[in-house]
Amino acid sequence: MAKVIVLMGAPGAGKGTQAQLISRRFGWPQISTGDILREMAEQDTPLGRHIKGVLASGRLVSDEILADIIQERTQRDDCRGGYILDGFPRTIHQAELLDRLVRERGHELVVINIAVARQALVARLAARRICPRCGAVYNMHSRPPREDELCDRCGTPLRRRADDHPDAIQKRLEVYQKETAPVIEYYRQQKKVAEIDGGRSMDEVFEDLVRVIEEKNGR
Ligand code: AMP
């Protein structure tokens, strides 16, 4: 049965980085709702401007907008054999929508929670840089680019995300506790969650993820 890998975890837990690695290893597309929204926020339209404002504040974009995005993206051909979700679902309402989609399409959910202590999250978010062109993610301490603030893959100058400043970081962690932590509880009650210690190196976390996915994949 095709798998839908759901990476849960607070902002800065490493969902995006690990989703890229899993995508490369298993060949499933990575669907990052944050990346999709950042792209939409570049458009000079009422919707683009609305999303831009919400992102910068650290709050969540509405469930209605997310429902449109996720339904459209997951029905494309490349998702037939499975896909990886990074940043979705973030509310119980979104989790219920995903349950429905997965059931209708005969897929199976694999939920993995990447747990990281709050102090480490704040430090990671402050040190994070992203490539605005190819989406590669860096950390100026633990995973710096080879050349000063340039993307290793495409040479583009790296940027700080608009929401990686102290006020938005606090807000995002608050929103996470209030809206998204209950989603993990929702899946725990269904005995669907594999827990991973995300406080270790990128390679160690990835090794654990591969083990969990291969087990669920029946290899
Ligand atoms: P991320 O890149 O996953 O940290 O997401 C960046 C921002 O995009 C979040 O702080 C939210 O404002 C918005 N966002 C991403 N995914 C969702 C979602 N599933 N529901 C609501 N807002 C989202």
Side-chain angles (χ1 to χ4, degrees):
M1 200 186 270
K3 300 287 184 289
V4 174
I5 312 292
V6 178
L7 293 186
M8 300 294 297
K15 300 185 295 296
T17 301
Q18 296 294 339
Q20 284 178 1
L21 295 173
I22 298 169
S23 174
R24 243 177 277 156
R25 167 74 67 98
F26 292 91
W28 298 315
Q30 170 198 4
I31 302 180
S32 158
T33 45
D35 284 349
I36 295 172
L37 288 163
R38 275 184 287 280
E39 229 180 280
M40 292 170 79
E42 299 279 298
Q43 287 159 15
D44 194 15
T45 59
L47 179 63
R49 286 191 291 271
H50 163 74
I51 290 173
K52 191 171 190 170
V54 178
L55 294 188
S57 76
R59 292 188 164 76
L60 293 183
V61 174
S62 73
D63 287 340
E64 289 71 28
I65 294 176
L66 265 295
D68 287 347
I69 292 174
I70 214 74
Q71 297 196 77
E72 191 280 325
R73 181 63 189 88
T74 58
Q75 73 187 11
R76 293 195 209 157
D77 277 354
D78 64 345
C79 291
R80 273 204 207 145
Y83 52 92
I84 308 157
L85 287 173
D86 135 32
F88 186 96
R90 267 177 153 100
T91 66
I92 295 283
H93 197 263
Q94 294 178 11
E96 289 169 350
L97 166 71
L98 181 63
D99 282 346
R100 213 161 47 244
L101 290 182
V102 163
R103 213 178 316 120
E104 280 167 13
R105 295 174 191 163
H107 288 158
E108 187 189 337
L109 277 188
V110 175
V111 182
I112 305 175
N113 182 39
I114 307 179
V116 175
R118 186 186 169 105
Q119 245 182 344
L121 294 172
V122 175
R124 283 189 190 181
L125 292 169
R128 173 160 71 184
R129 300 290 181 278
I130 57 164
C131 172
R133 180 141 175 248
C134 73
V137 184
Y138 299 85
N139 178 296
M140 296 313 287
H141 303 306
S142 62
R143 200 179 168 221
R146 280 193 298 272
E147 266 194 70
D148 199 29
E149 306 254 340
L150 294 181
C151 180
D152 290 349
R153 282 200 232 153
C154 66
T156 307
L158 300 179
R159 272 200 215 149
R160 204 182 246 253
R161 272 172 44 169
D163 56 356
D164 280 344
H165 59 79
D167 287 353
I169 288 175
Q170 288 312 319
K171 187 76 210 167
R172 284 156 65 208
L173 292 173
E174 220 175 87
V175 168
Y176 171 78
Q177 276 311 325
K178 186 156 170 267
E179 305 278 351
T180 309
V183 177
I184 301 177
E185 232 12 81
Y186 169 86
Y187 288 132
R188 279 194 189 123
Q189 279 169 12
Q190 301 173 30
K191 308 242 180 302
K192 277 195 187 135
V193 186
E195 303 280 353
I196 285 192
D197 169 9
R200 298 163 303 156
S201 73
M202 182 180 83
D203 291 342
E204 287 170 311
V205 174
F206 181 56
E207 237 173 71
D208 266 12
L209 281 166
V210 169
R211 197 172 34 73
V212 168
I213 293 168
E214 285 184 343
E215 259 168 36
K216 305 268 180 192
N217 228 5
R219 272 187 239 175

